[in-house]
Amino acid sequence: MSWKDKIPGSFGSVDKKFAGHSLDSERAAELLEAAIKANVGFKKYLAEIENWLKAEGCSAAHIQEEMKKVNDISRYFKQD
């Protein structure tokens, strides 16, 4: 499985919000770990997530808000 295949699991299936649930946070951490293992740079990581959100039909405002969350390292932890 490619690291990109893990992107949807990091988001709510209906609302497309990043790491909004503890299981989404766990999967977001797995996504980040898989991207690192695949030697993916941060810019490419962000671009692929943004492309996925666009392909899902999310609005520009929603994408902007969720990308802020993707950039927030605390979202990748389910504790705290």
Side-chain angles (χ1 to χ4, degrees), residues 65-76:
E65 186 64 31
E66 296 313 303
M67 292 308 294
K68 287 179 192 174
K69 295 175 187 176
V70 171
N71 276 284
D72 179 1
I73 193 69
S74 69
R75 298 295 238 169
Y76 295 84

Side-chain angles (χ1 to χ4, degrees), residues 13-67:
S13 59
V14 175
D15 62 10
K16 304 294 185 246
K17 291 188 177 184
F18 183 74
H21 184 276
S22 64
L23 291 176
D24 298 341
S25 295
E26 186 176 313
R27 290 187 291 261
E30 291 170 3
L31 167 64
L32 182 59
E33 182 180 7
I36 290 168
K37 285 182 180 178
N39 292 317
V40 174
F42 191 58
K43 287 180 184 179
K44 181 173 181 171
Y45 176 78
L46 294 176
E48 291 296 337
I49 293 172
E50 187 171 340
N51 288 339
W52 180 81
L53 287 166
K54 288 177 183 175
E56 291 295 306
C58 297
S59 70
H62 181 78
I63 293 170
Q64 182 179 15
E65 186 64 31
E66 296 313 303
M67 292 308 294

